[in-house]
Amino acid sequence: MHLKVLLPFQIFADKPDVARIVAQTPHGSFGLLPNRLDCVTALSPGILSYAMANGEEFYLAVDEGLLVKIGAEVLVSVRNAIGGTDLGHLHETIQKDFLTLDAQEQSVRSVMSKLESNFIQRFAAFHHVQ
């Protein structure tokens, strides 16, 4: 298989001759072998591992995103990725950086929602007075 890991502004990894891929989805682990049918799945923040045809294994800490398999091409599109060989370190990175960022984004979205709601209420009151 040919694996490409895409970030918003760059190609993070471009690996030909990948023998297998294991990724985390909202419903659990998801494995890909070369003869698997084409598919699309959402990815959860977690570890994406892949093994090369020569047996070498690699690990990526990835943020949420999508995985698309079409024929021998596998595209992974995520917001953030970090490569490494120490699974403990990658797990800590996910806990510290990716999941904290999601909590911050939820907080910002909550504040924006309140601001938008307040604006709409004031606009409606202003329109009603006119």
Side-chain angles (χ1 to χ4, degrees):
M1 293 182 289
H2 184 190
L3 172 66
K4 275 191 181 180
V5 179
L6 308 171
L7 299 179
F9 300 105
Q10 70 183 31
I11 296 174
F12 182 79
D14 189 357
K15 304 290 181 179
D17 299 325
V18 174
R20 68 178 165 80
I21 301 168
V22 177
Q24 301 295 316
T25 72
H27 305 290
S29 293
F30 180 78
L32 289 173
L33 295 172
N35 293 325
R36 183 177 173 91
L37 293 175
D38 295 350
C39 62
V40 175
T41 188
L43 296 177
S44 298
I47 302 293
L48 183 141
S49 65
Y50 62 94
M52 304 301 289
N54 65 8
E56 285 184 279
E57 186 136 0
F58 297 93
Y59 304 98
L60 300 175
V62 296
D63 203 351
E64 63 188 4
L66 289 174
L67 180 145
V68 178
K69 180 183 184 299
I70 303 171
E73 296 288 322
V74 179
L75 299 175
V76 173
S77 178
V78 293
R79 290 186 291 172
N80 198 2
I82 300 171
T85 56
D86 181 9
L87 286 176
H89 181 272
L90 288 176
H91 188 336
E92 288 175 17
T93 300
I94 291 168
Q95 294 295 327
K96 187 177 76 174
D97 294 343
F98 296 168
L99 297 179
T100 302
L101 181 62
D102 287 341
Q104 289 173 347
E105 285 180 9
Q106 288 176 354
S107 176
V108 168
R109 287 181 183 164
S110 175
V111 168
M112 290 301 294
S113 178
K114 289 176 185 176
L115 286 172
E116 289 170 355
S117 176
N118 190 359
F119 173 77
I120 290 170
Q121 289 173 354
R122 289 178 184 250
F123 185 74
F126 176 75
H127 184 65
H128 182 68
V129 171
Q130 298 261 338

